[in-house]
C-alpha cells in the first residue's frame, strides 16, 4: 500500500506524540554527574550499580541520564533523584549506597536523608 | 584517573557534549604500547581553541568546555614518555590520540573498558559507537549501528 506524503507526516506526528508521552511517563529520573570530577571519584561503578539494580527489579518507569560537573566536585560521586517536582541530591556515593537508594527511595518511596546533600553539609 | 578506561569515558563525554552522533574508539595494544584513539563528528574546535586545550587554567577560564579532562590525560601520557595529539576542525569533529608506553613504571593500567562501553551505550542511546580493540593477534569490533 502506498502512502502519500501527508499520511506519512501524520504518522510521524502521531509517533512523535507517543514518544513524548512515553518520556513524560517516566515517573522517576536519575541524573548522574559524569564530569571529569565525577568519573575520577568513581561515578562509573555507581552508575553500573544503579542500572543493574533498576533492571533487576524491572523498574520500567525510571530514566537514567548523565550530566556534567555541577560544581561540587568534593561531594562526587553524586546523583539526583527526581520524582514529580521533588528533587533529592545524593552525595558521596558508593555502588552499595546507590543500590540502597534505588531500593529505599524509588521502590519503597522512603528518602534516605542521611545520604542527601542537606545532611552532608550540616557536618 | 585510576586507569585508561576512565580517561576514555571522560574524553568521550566531551564528544557527546559537542553533539557528536558517531564516536569511534580504537584501542591498539602491542607488547610495548597502548594506543587510544577517539574520533567524533561533533562540532569541533577552532584552531585557537585547540592550542589552549592542554592548559587547564586557560580553558576553564573561558568556557569550561574542556576543563581538566584533557590535561589529566596529557599528564598521564607524559608520565610514560608517550605521545599525545589532538586535531580538530570546526563543524567537522575532533580526533584525540594518546599513546602510552606500557612498560614504563608510571603507566596506568587499561582498566575495565567493557564497563566504559556499556556505560556509554546505556547513557547515550541516540549516539552511535564503534569500538575496536586490537592486539597483536586478535581484533574485536563492536558497532552500535549494526546492533540497532
Amino acid at each position: 500500500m502506498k502512502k502519500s506524503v501527508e499520511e506519512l507526516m501524520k504518522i510521524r506526528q502521531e509517533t512523535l506524540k507517543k514518544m513524548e508521552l512515553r518520556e513524560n511517563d517516566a515517573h522517576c529520573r536519575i541524573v548522574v554527574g559524569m564530569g571529569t570530577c565525577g568519573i575520577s571519584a568513581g561515578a562509573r561503578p555507581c552508575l553500573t550499580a544503579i542500572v543493574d539494580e533498576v533492571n533487576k527489579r524491572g523498574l520500567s518507569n525510571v530514566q537514567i541520564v548523565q550530566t556534567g560537573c555541577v560544581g561540587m566536585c568534593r561531594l562526587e560521586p553524586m546523583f539526583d533523584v527526581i520524582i514529580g517536582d521533588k528533587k533529592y541530591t545524593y552525595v558521596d556515593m558508593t555502588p552499595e549506597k546507590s543500590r540502597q537508594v534505588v531500593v529505599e527511595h524509588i521502590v519503597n518511596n522512603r528518602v534516605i536523608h542521611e545520604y542527601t546533600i542537606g545532611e552532608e553539609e550540616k557536618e | 584517573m585510576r586507569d585508561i578506561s576512565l580517561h576514555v569515558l571522560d574524553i568521550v563525554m566531551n564528544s557527546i557534549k559537542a553533539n557528536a552522533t558517531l564516536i569511534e574508539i580504537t584501542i591498539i595494544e602491542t607488547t610495548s604500547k597502548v594506543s587510544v584513539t577517539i574520533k567524533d563528528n561533533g562540532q569541533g574546535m577552532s584552531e585557537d581553541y585547540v592550542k589552549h586545550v592542554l592548559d587547564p587554567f586557560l580553558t576553564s577560564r573561558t568556557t569550561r568546555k574542556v576543563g581538566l579532562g584533557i590535561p589529566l590525560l596529557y599528564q598521564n601520557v607524559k608520565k610514560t614518555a608517550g605521545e599525545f595529539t589532538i586535531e580538530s576542525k570546526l563543524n567537522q569533529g575532533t580526533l584525540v590520540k594518546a599513546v602510552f608506553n606500557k612498560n614504563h613504571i608510571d603507566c596506568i593500567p587499561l582498566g575495565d573498558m567493557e564497563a566504559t562501553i556499556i556505560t556509554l551505550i546505556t547513557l547515550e542511546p541516540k549516539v552511535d559507537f564503534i569500538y575496536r580493540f586490537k592486539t597483536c593477534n586478535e581484533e574485536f569490533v563492536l558497532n552500535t549501528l549494526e546492533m540497532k
Side-chain angles (χ1 to χ4, degrees), chain A residues 79 81 90 97-106 112:
Chain A
F79 59 81
V81 176
Y90 288 100
K97 281 177 170 180
S98 311
R99 280 177 198 274
Q100 276 178 33
V101 170
V102 173
V103 176
E104 283 296 309
H105 190 152
I106 295 164
I112 311 180

Side-chain angles (χ1 to χ4, degrees), chain A residues 23 34-36 39-40 44 47-48 51 64-66 68-69 71, chain B residues 1 5-6 9-10 13 16 64 69 72 112 115-116 119 123-124:
Chain A
E23 267 167 32
M34 293 289 272
T36 303
I39 293 170
S40 59
R44 192 185 66 187
L47 182 93
T48 318
V51 173
I64 303 167
V65 289
Q66 56 99 2
C69 171
Chain B
M1 300 282 169
S5 71
L6 290 175
L9 181 60
D10 190 26
M13 283 296 163
I16 290 166
R64 271 176 58 121
L72 284 175
D112 195 349
T116 290
T119 306
L123 276 182
E124 298 297 329

Side-chain angles (χ1 to χ4, degrees), chain A residues 5-47:
Chain A
V5 177
E6 283 83 37
E7 278 177 304
L8 285 172
M9 287 304 280
K10 209 174 151 194
I11 294 173
R12 185 184 133 88
Q13 290 299 335
E14 274 167 13
T15 316
L16 279 177
K17 218 179 267 172
K18 262 186 215 158
M19 275 169 73
E20 212 172 288
L21 267 181
R22 208 184 303 151
E23 267 167 32
N24 292 340
D25 212 35
H27 113 123
C28 170
R29 258 161 72 91
I30 302 177
V31 186
V32 188
M34 293 289 272
T36 303
C37 48
I39 293 170
S40 59
R44 192 185 66 187
C46 291
L47 182 93

